[in-house]
Amino acid sequence: MARLTGRRILFAVPVLATVTFGVFAIAAASPFDPVKAYAGTAGLTSSQDNLDQLRANLGVDRPLVTRWWDWLTSALRGDLGDSSVLRQPVADVVGERIGWSVLLAATAFLAAVLLGTALGVLAARRQGGWLDRAVRAVAYTLEAAPPFWLGLLAVWLFALKLGALPAGGLTDTGSTTITAGQVASHLALPAAVLAVSQLPWFVLYVRQGVGDALEEDPVRGARARGLAPRTVLIGHALRSGMLPVLTLIGSRVPELITGALLVETVFSWPGIAAATVQAATSIDFPLLAALTVLATLAVLLGNLAADLLYGLADPRVGFDG
Amino acid sequence: MVVRPARGATAVAAVAALSVTASACSAPGGSGEGGKGRAASSAVVGIAYEPDTLSPLLGYGKDGNSKIFDGLLTHDADMKLQPALAAALPKVSADGRTYTYKLRDGVRFSDGKPFSAKDVVFTYETILDKKTNNASKTELDAVDTVEAKGDDTVVFRLKYPYAPFAERTVLPIAPEHIAGKQDVNTGDFTTKPIGTGPYTLVKWSKGEKLTFKANPRYWGGEPKVRNFTMAIVKDDDVRATRLRSGDLDGAILPPNLVATFKSDGDKKTYAARTFDYRVVTLPTGNKVAGDTAVRRALDIGVDRKAMVDSILYGAGKEAYGPVPTDSPWFTEGTERTHDLAKARRILDDAGWKAGKDGIRVRNGVRASFPLWYLTGDKLRQDHALAYASDAKKLGIQIKVESGTWEVIEPRMPKDAVLAGGGSPADPDFDQYTLLKSSLAGNGFNNMAWYDNARVDKALDAARRTDDRDSRKAAYDTVQRELVKNPGYTFLTHIDHLYVVGDRFGDLTTQVEPHDHGLASGPWWNVEKWQPAS
């Protein structure tokens, strides 16, 4: 187990270095001009001298590799640089936002896993039954629906038509304090949309896993011994049917991150997403690189967690992978 | 069943790709509750733009009226300069190069520390410092030195006589004891400002809202509206919906949505007069657009009235130059009557003869050029299309294309651009950068590469004298020259429309610039509102 973890950490180093370099290269190749983005409307009336000075101050006139290397070495010393678009240190930008993103993603993920497992088990219990057919149809439909579209639909229905839930933001517009109750009511809609967009994969995997397990010898044996169907389903079939789902949990992380970005944008959720979008469109190198590293780390950790869980849950798998 | 974990690089590429997609769709926001029954001393308004920074050192509030800060001077409702942190209007030396400001007594920053001349010197010197990333510092080009004489007097010395300089001193003053102790470009001060203004910032929740509370120490007296919130709602429809639901007390809206509030008894509509113009640049380097006959034909061949009626729903007026027709700086008699026959005659006389497809040709050059507008800007698109369709009636083909500034900028020397601008404080601000030949192609200045010696001379004369009549005469010359040789076709001046709940009584608006600053709109003087309880 320690060996697997160690090897993954070693592997992460070149991956992260490559990914950050890729971000710098793509950003440098994009047609957007970081100086224009920085200056905004003021850039439309400023002199060429002033724009040139800005270019030098922001350090965007230096070669790509130099910029990347400077960023990398100072990042390793703990200095993530300053975000040009938000006029703040990158560490502050990330610090004040990531908590809200984690809250949103974790709530949605938990809801998706729990609801997905429950629906998957129900569907697997009588494969081909009406419940199974209905659950599968809904799952396939949702699988094809982009999260931001679901988000807009939810805003339209729950916020504009029904007026049941707030359409966005972290708290009420007029309030100046952040209370748990307000955050909860504002979290409901984005978290639900994100959960629903993640749901189909869990439903379908659990359904398949539990369905397969029901056909396996140990489960058949248990049933033959006269155990209650409920015990067989939950205690035996679900246990072995959950194994592929563990891997799925790890591999859903990237989808969860991209989904969260879109959902945050739709709901004006003050998480890391707005910063990511701004960083990308303004070619804000330090911020973009830091956010990419975070996303990559989340993916690598997700995969590691999945493999470790798998190993723990099924001794036959081992930790050599 | 095997699930293969996605590899990092692919996932990250997906993140990047999707985040760009996400930015393309607008972000609706906000709740539909909490508005009704708000305390009388609270006001929530919806705005469409979010500032990049709240630090005046980086350009925030440079045109005055920033709520958190005060400048040495400020504008009243008629855009006349009034003293703010200065005790009176400045004393100007006879050569127009020395401005002396006496400061108001007993002013304190909202943290309790006294304000003094050294804060003024600090603010201007920091902005002019090369290391400060202030994109508007060009506006202070005239300043040579700024010096404190004791605690209560500040003296500016200019490199050249610059009549409108006092207009520049509306820019907000930052406290040296806070802003001087941190990185000016990225320090805390950029998001947690401290000023002398009527309001203090409670919190800036980026992308969501800015909340302010009244500054009890404000030298002008504590405002009656004690809690003031600016909700950032980029989408027009969402802003209108939140206004209707009571979540917002007021908002800026486009004309078509304002119309939906006409029958709403408890809301009032305000149309702010502006200097905000839409203009077509006719680059001198283009064989067609650079020809005086073509320029003059287009100038009288476009139907400005139709644009005001159909594009602006009447909320605006015809523009014949950067100065709106109702400004005292406007030169009477330079209005152009829409006259297709005369426009055609000008082209005929200049030798532009209609070709087989109806497009005119002269010496083998087709009367055709591209016109660019900023992608996604509906108003500019509508103006560009109307302009092209009017030009077609004259036998001039204009191909309308859209792009981002990155696409448009390299094409500016040859292609026409549907641009916008406008700065009400002084005629120098717009006209000098728009028309001065030495500024051609300098950044976004003089985008049309306009080159007219008489205009150059008048522009210089106008900024070097403080005498109002001589200045007026100089700007009259500029506007008359623009009739004879228009390097731009000015189309419209656009009213900015706002809808606000009537419990705040009758409100006023200032004449507004092109930029929708945070403090534009009826809430330009929210500190003076008297809400009914």
Side-chain angles (χ1 to χ4, degrees), chain A residues 31 33 36 38 44 46-48 50 57 87-88 167-168 170-173 175 205 208 265-266 268 277 292 296 303, chain B residues 1 3 5-6 12 23 27-31 130 133 135 138 186 190 206 208-209 241-242 247 406 409 442-444:
Chain A
D33 180 357
K36 292 270 156 50
Y38 182 90
L44 296 179
S46 56
S47 68
Q48 195 59 47
N50 193 5
N57 287 2
R87 275 82 159 160
Q88 284 182 280
L170 185 65
T171 52
D172 292 342
T173 318
S175 87
Y205 271 77
Q208 189 71 39
T265 308
V266 171
S268 317
V277 172
T292 315
T296 316
N303 287 343
Chain B
M1 188 176 288
V3 179
V12 169
S23 71
S31 76
K130 279 192 178 332
N133 295 340
T138 317
T186 56
T190 62
K206 286 207 172 146
E208 190 195 357
K209 65 188 173 193
T241 306
R242 288 175 60 174
D247 181 38
E406 282 81 4
E409 199 191 353
N442 179 316
F444 282 83

Side-chain angles (χ1 to χ4, degrees), chain A residues 26-38 55 60 67 277-285 288, chain B residues 20 23 374-375 403-407:
Chain A
I26 292 171
S30 90
F32 295 109
D33 180 357
V35 175
K36 292 270 156 50
Y38 182 90
R55 192 172 297 279
V60 290
R67 254 182 301 173
V277 172
Q278 270 183 298
T281 53
S282 322
I283 313 301
D284 186 346
F285 290 96
L288 201 55
Chain B
V20 173
S23 71
L374 191 63
T375 304
T404 60
W405 284 121
E406 282 81 4
V407 176

Side-chain angles (χ1 to χ4, degrees), chain B residues 2-15:
Chain B
V2 180
V3 179
R4 190 183 295 270
R7 288 286 167 233
T10 334
V12 169
V15 173

Side-chain angles (χ1 to χ4, degrees), chain B residues 295-338:
Chain B
R295 293 174 170 195
R296 286 185 55 217
L298 286 168
D299 201 28
I300 55 172
V302 295
D303 191 349
R304 295 178 171 88
K305 181 84 176 51
M307 292 187 192
V308 171
D309 292 343
S310 65
I311 300 174
L312 305 179
Y313 296 81
K317 48 190 167 303
E318 296 102 303
Y320 304 101
V323 183
T325 43
D326 55 359
S327 159
W329 292 101
F330 181 74
T331 308
E332 300 291 333
T334 58
E335 296 92 341
R336 271 75 105 189
T337 330
H338 173 57

Side-chain angles (χ1 to χ4, degrees), chain B residues 25 83 186 333 402 425 437-438 480 518 525 532:
Chain B
C25 54
T186 56
S402 76
S437 62
S438 58
R480 293 208 180 93
L518 278 190
N525 65 348

Side-chain angles (χ1 to χ4, degrees), chain A residues 215-268:
Chain A
E215 303 299 316
E216 280 170 12
D217 286 344
V219 177
R220 296 236 285 262
R223 204 181 282 155
R225 289 203 304 278
L227 293 177
R230 197 186 155 82
T231 317
V232 174
L233 189 69
I234 306 294
H236 295 77
L238 178 61
R239 229 186 121 118
S240 90
M242 277 301 276
L243 278 177
V245 177
L246 291 179
T247 313
L248 183 70
I249 288 180
S251 67
R252 289 311 297 168
V253 170
E255 283 283 337
L256 188 70
I257 294 172
T258 52
L261 291 187
L262 298 172
V263 169
E264 280 185 15
T265 308
V266 171
F267 289 94
S268 317

